[in-house]
Structure formats: C-alpha cells, structure tokens
Amino acid sequence: MKPFAYARPGSAAQAVRDVAAEPQAVFLAGGTNLVDHLKLGVAQPELVVDVRRLTSRDITDLEDGGLRLGAASTNSEVAADRRVRERYPVLAQALLAGATGQLRNLATTGGNPLQRTRCVYFQDVTTPCNKRQPGSGCSAVGGYTRYHAVLGTAAALPDPTAPETCIATHPSDMAVALAALDAQVQVLGRDGARTVPFVDLHRLPGDDPSRDTVLEHGELITAIDLPPLAPGARSAYRKVRDRASYAFALVSVAAVVDPDGVRIALGGVAHKPWRASRAEEVLHGGPLTEDAVRHAMDVELTAAQPQPGVDGGNGFKIPLVSRTVVATLRDLEASS
Amino acid sequence: MDAEISLTVDGVPRRLTVDTRTTLLDTLRERLGNTSPKKGCDHGQCGACTILLDGERALSCLALAVAHDGAELTTADGLAPQGELHPVQQAFLDRDAFQCGYCTPGQVCSAVGVLQEVRRGWPSHATRDLTADPGLTHDEVAERMSGNLCRCGAYANIVPAVQDAAR
C-alpha cells in the first residue's frame, strides 16, 4: 500500500476544502470499499480525509413527511429503523440484501452509493481498465461479462481499445431502491450546499468512464432525503444472485406502486442504477397485469445490448430482469 | 506516515504509534500480539477477522486503526477474560461447531453480534415480515452468519450452536 497522510478535520466544510485543494485526496467514511482499494492499489491517494464523524448519524423526520438519512448513519441502522421498515420497505430490503452484518455495521448512507464497480478487471491493476486508468482500454469486453451491463452501453459491440469503452455495472443494492424512491442527495461543496436528485447522481460512462457520479472532486454527501410516499403506496426489492446470501446482484429490481403509478429501478444491468422510465410510461394508468408488465419491459429492453464473453456472455440478463420485474410487481399486487 | 492512537483492547487501554496504513487486524496481530482475529482473505470476504468494534461486529481487516482512535475492541480472546467461556464459545464446543478452528474466533464474535442484533429486533434478508420481531430460525441464523465462511463446512453445527447460545 502506498503511504498516505490522514486527516480528521473539525468540520464537514473543512473536509470539503481539504479534499478540494488536493487532487489526490479522497474521503473516508466506513472504509469497506476504499480500504480494500488501498490494498489492491486501485486507489492510491496522497491524502485520506476521514468524514465518518463529521456528518450526522441521525435519521430524522422531515416536515413534508419524508425521512432524512444522515450520511454517517450505517446501513445496519437504516435497515433497522422502524420508519424505514414500515414506510420504505424497498429500502430496508435492498440494504438487507447487500453485503453482510459485519459490513453493514461499517458501511454508511453516504458511502454506499459511492462504492465502485466490482468489475474484476477494475479491481485487478495488472489489466487495462478505462475506469481505473483512463485510456488504457477495457478488458471486460469479450472477457468475463456475467456481472456486466446490458443497458446504457454502446449500441454495437464496444471496441475494447477505445478510451470511452466501459461495460461495468454499479454494485449497490441500496442505490437501486433510492433511485425508485426518487431520493434527493444533499451535497456540500466549496461553494455551498446543493441538492442532486438521486436518479441524476450516477452517470453512464459517456466519454469518461472514470467518473461514476456527477459530483465534483471535493463534493461531499451530507444526507439523503426520502420523499414521502402517497398513502397506500407499496414497495419491494427483489435480488437475483449466484448464491443465497452475500453475493452481488446479477439483476435486481426496486419497485414502488402508488395511486400515481409505478416506479421501477433496475440493478446489475447498467453503469448506474437504471430507472426503467420507458416501462413506467407504458404502464402509466393501466392495470399491472403480467402481460402488461412483460410488454412494458420489452419496450424498456429494446435497446439492451447483450455482451458476449468467455463465460457465455450476459444475454441471460435480458429475459431475467424482465421476469424479475414481473415477479416483483405480481407480489406487490398480491399483497395489496 | 505515523499517527498516535489509543485503543481499548479486551478491556485493556493501549497507546501506540501506527503507520496510517495499518488496519485494526494488523494492529491486533502484529503490534499487540492478539492473534485471535485471523487474517483469512484480508479483503472483507471471509469474516475470519471479525471483532466487536465499539460493541458491534465488524471486519477488522477493512478498518484503518487511525480512523478508530479511541475505539473499544473485543476479540474472541476477550470474550473469555478469566478463562470462563462465553455462552457462544461454550455452545460451539458443545455442538462441535468447527473442525480446523481457523474461522472460529470470527464466527464466535459474529454470533455474539447476531444475538445482540436479534435481541434489538433488527431484521435480516430472511425476515418475512419486516415490521415483526425476527425469530432465530435456521434460515435467520444462516443468513445473518453468511459473512463468516467455514471451509471445513461446519455450518451444520454452527447454526444450532448459535441457536443454543440464544437460549
């Protein structure tokens, strides 16, 4: 591990200034992803700024009936909170489907959405990776693609040598639920505070796969707000994985059904938590029958691009995610 | 780069200077001579390094010591301070819940955390009704202990041991 300086400033504002002033600085919260990356050489910061005790650990009621999750609240605490379990079951279920008890006790609300992809090539510093080392190429194309994207990638087979190629997925379960809930991210930067809709926090690779989010260097998440759900709203998270526990999603689905319609977010299929807006539009105002949902997902997945790979590729994800949406909505309808 | 930190380890206050890169696991094993937490994978995937960090189960291989200045750590060693076994340790013996024993200190610390979490009513992925208090069924224990791998495959005895310890 490369040597680094460690700082624990007196305030979140000072932490933001410290990181903004040093291009090779990073924030540290729970550390479950960053410390691993320090060991692997994926992250090689000059300065680590510890913010775990600088933001709120509280979960508080908002005046509009929503809930504010302080950035330092742990994944365990949020999943166990009575208000989250009763009002936002999709979020509790997503958190509990991720990682393990020992990890959820460390991982935080602010850190979880900012964890990096688990693409094996990103984590292996001996292989080219545009996300880790911009311009070096993408080793995943044509390689092991079981955990990789089928949405939001180039329409044709991506060129592994092109600097913009990246077929990585975002690994967080929590983030998929937050996308479906239309959460709002409270961000502190050098020029003050701003609010970023959660669905806009993460980005597609575009021409710079090294950037996972729209946050500028030095911007810090201080809280995540959950807007109130309409009376009678129901929500659920469903995750499909290679083993029963402690595995990243092959695909996952977060769904919220309320009198205004249905909201669907997909995990394991794209560089960001994927809000299935096209399917939502198709389903708007109509009944959530299995046929209707299947048709809506066909529309959503018209642009899906299966990746071939040495492991058989990931084309299986396209029917799998469609069926997982059908099953999630069927269960929600049955529980109404 | 060095930093001076204080830790309470199994009830004993310690003051030491550590490189900022040092994890709690390496601090315990290499600096303080407490080899109870094990270095299995060193990447947060196996659970052999599980300790109680300020009372909650956590992976000591993914925690930087400098970031936990002032923390209270309990290892499996510290669960039996005067040689009297913790109920979880006794249950592991009674149920023969190990073979080689390498993962056992982590399993034991994790189980102590699990029992505390269940007493508080914390749900898990195996909890059907999120608004009800979870029981300690086989599925609940297996899910909650899924972060502790046992390559001897003693799971069939670990699950009943954890259930016994709750009684």
Side-chain angles (χ1 to χ4, degrees):
Chain A
M1 202 187 299
K2 279 185 52 175
F4 56 81
Y6 169 89
R8 194 191 307 144
S11 69
Q14 186 60 47
V16 164
R17 285 193 291 273
D18 288 352
V19 170
E22 164 60 62
Q24 299 304 316
V26 292
F27 291 118
L28 169 72
T32 54
N33 195 206
L34 178 62
V35 175
D36 191 28
H37 283 173
L38 294 172
K39 294 180 186 191
L40 293 168
V42 171
Q44 301 190 349
E46 299 284 338
L47 172 67
V48 171
V49 177
D50 189 350
V51 294
R52 190 169 57 93
R53 301 181 224 195
L54 300 183
T55 57
S56 173
R57 194 168 172 169
D58 295 335
I59 301 169
T60 49
D61 286 296
L62 292 170
E63 274 183 19
D64 65 1
L67 216 50
R68 170 163 292 179
L69 315 174
S73 55
T74 66
N75 288 178
S76 293
E77 290 162 351
V78 174
D81 188 276
R82 281 277 166 196
R83 294 160 295 183
V84 173
R85 286 153 70 181
E86 283 163 15
R87 281 145 60 181
Y88 305 99
V90 63
L91 178 58
Q93 288 168 356
L95 285 164
L96 294 170
T100 66
Q102 295 100 307
L103 286 162
R104 292 191 294 268
N105 282 343
L106 292 170
T108 64
T109 293
N112 181 311
L114 300 182
Q115 64 181 298
R116 311 297 307 272
T117 182
R118 294 315 195 281
C119 173
V120 292
Y121 306 101
F122 172 74
Q123 297 185 101
D124 177 356
V125 297
T126 66
T127 61
C129 168
N130 284 325
K131 184 179 280 300
R132 176 170 32 75
Q133 197 179 351
S136 62
C138 174
S139 304
V141 172
Y144 289 92
T145 58
R146 186 170 178 79
Y147 286 90
H148 290 74
V150 292
L151 286 165
T153 56
L157 182 66
D159 172 3
T161 64
E164 68 277 8
T165 299
C166 177
I167 58 169
T169 49
H170 195 267
S172 166
D173 293 294
M174 179 196 200
V176 183
L178 293 174
L181 288 167
D182 283 315
Q184 303 288 314
V185 186
Q186 303 299 340
V187 175
L188 186 64
R190 258 185 311 183
D191 304 325
R194 67 173 176 134
T195 304
V196 179
F198 193 86
V199 289
D200 298 331
L201 177 68
H202 296 91
R203 53 191 295 287
L204 291 174
D207 58 5
D208 185 2
S210 71
R211 289 186 63 204
D212 295 351
T213 72
V214 299
L215 298 182
E216 299 296 331
H217 180 68
E219 281 194 310
L220 175 69
I221 294 177
T222 56
I224 294 182
D225 294 348
L226 308 179
L229 292 182
R234 284 159 292 124
S235 69
Y237 186 74
R238 193 172 179 125
K239 178 175 181 177
V240 181
R241 42 186 161 175
D242 276 330
R243 56 185 185 195
S245 183
Y246 199 14
F248 288 96
L250 291 167
V251 303
S252 71
V253 173
V256 179
V257 178
D258 66 21
D260 293 336
V262 57
R263 288 180 262 165
I264 302 166
L266 312 176
V269 293
H271 192 258
K272 57 183 283 186
W274 187 269
R275 189 67 182 263
S277 313
R278 288 190 194 179
E280 291 176 16
E281 273 168 41
V282 171
L283 290 168
H284 189 77
L288 295 177
T289 61
E290 293 199 18
D291 282 348
V293 175
R294 205 171 288 120
H295 168 66
M297 284 307 294
D298 285 346
V299 174
E300 182 68 44
L301 295 166
T302 45
Q305 184 66 37
Q307 294 295 325
V310 292
D311 52 354
N314 67 6
F316 70 91
K317 284 190 177 187
I318 294 169
L320 181 59
V321 74
S322 180
R323 289 198 295 261
T324 308
V325 171
V326 168
T328 308
L329 290 175
R330 185 189 56 214
D331 289 354
L332 272 180
E333 287 298 283
S335 69
S336 66
Chain B
M1 283 163 229
D2 289 343
E4 200 177 316
I5 61 165
S6 306
L7 297 169
T8 302
V9 178
D10 294 335
V12 181
R14 310 296 292 252
R15 243 192 122 66
L16 68 165
T17 302
V18 292
D19 187 293
T20 53
R21 294 171 289 182
T22 316
T23 61
L24 283 178
L25 177 61
D26 286 339
T27 304
L28 287 165
R29 291 183 60 86
E30 309 297 335
R31 298 294 307 284
L32 300 174
N34 183 336
T35 53
S36 159
K38 298 293 184 278
K39 186 179 279 196
C41 70
D42 207 27
H43 290 284
Q45 298 173 2
C46 76
C49 69
T50 302
I51 60 167
L52 298 169
L53 170 57
D54 290 326
E56 308 291 336
R57 58 184 173 141
L59 298 178
S60 60
C61 78
L62 292 183
L64 293 175
V66 65
H68 292 277
D69 182 18
E72 204 162 293
L73 317 183
T74 304
T75 68
D77 196 21
L79 290 171
Q82 266 82 51
E84 192 176 326
L85 295 182
H86 185 280
V88 170
Q89 293 170 322
Q90 188 62 52
F92 269 63
L93 279 176
D94 293 345
R95 284 283 186 173
D96 199 14
F98 49 86
Q99 283 186 51
C100 81
Y102 191 80
C103 71
T104 309
Q107 298 273 3
V108 164
C109 285
S110 191
V112 170
V114 164
L115 297 180
Q116 180 174 286
E117 291 160 14
V118 169
R119 273 197 300 275
R120 285 184 201 141
W122 283 16
S124 84
H125 177 65
T127 310
R128 289 273 168 267
D129 181 356
L130 278 182
T131 59
D133 272 345
L136 209 55
T137 60
H138 175 281
D139 287 356
E140 282 281 3
V141 175
E143 164 61 27
R144 289 169 192 269
M145 293 292 291
S146 73
N148 293 86
L149 304 188
C150 169
R151 294 297 77 169
C152 300
Y155 302 113
N157 291 352
I158 291 172
V159 172
V162 176
Q163 289 174 311
D164 281 0
R167 295 197 184 105

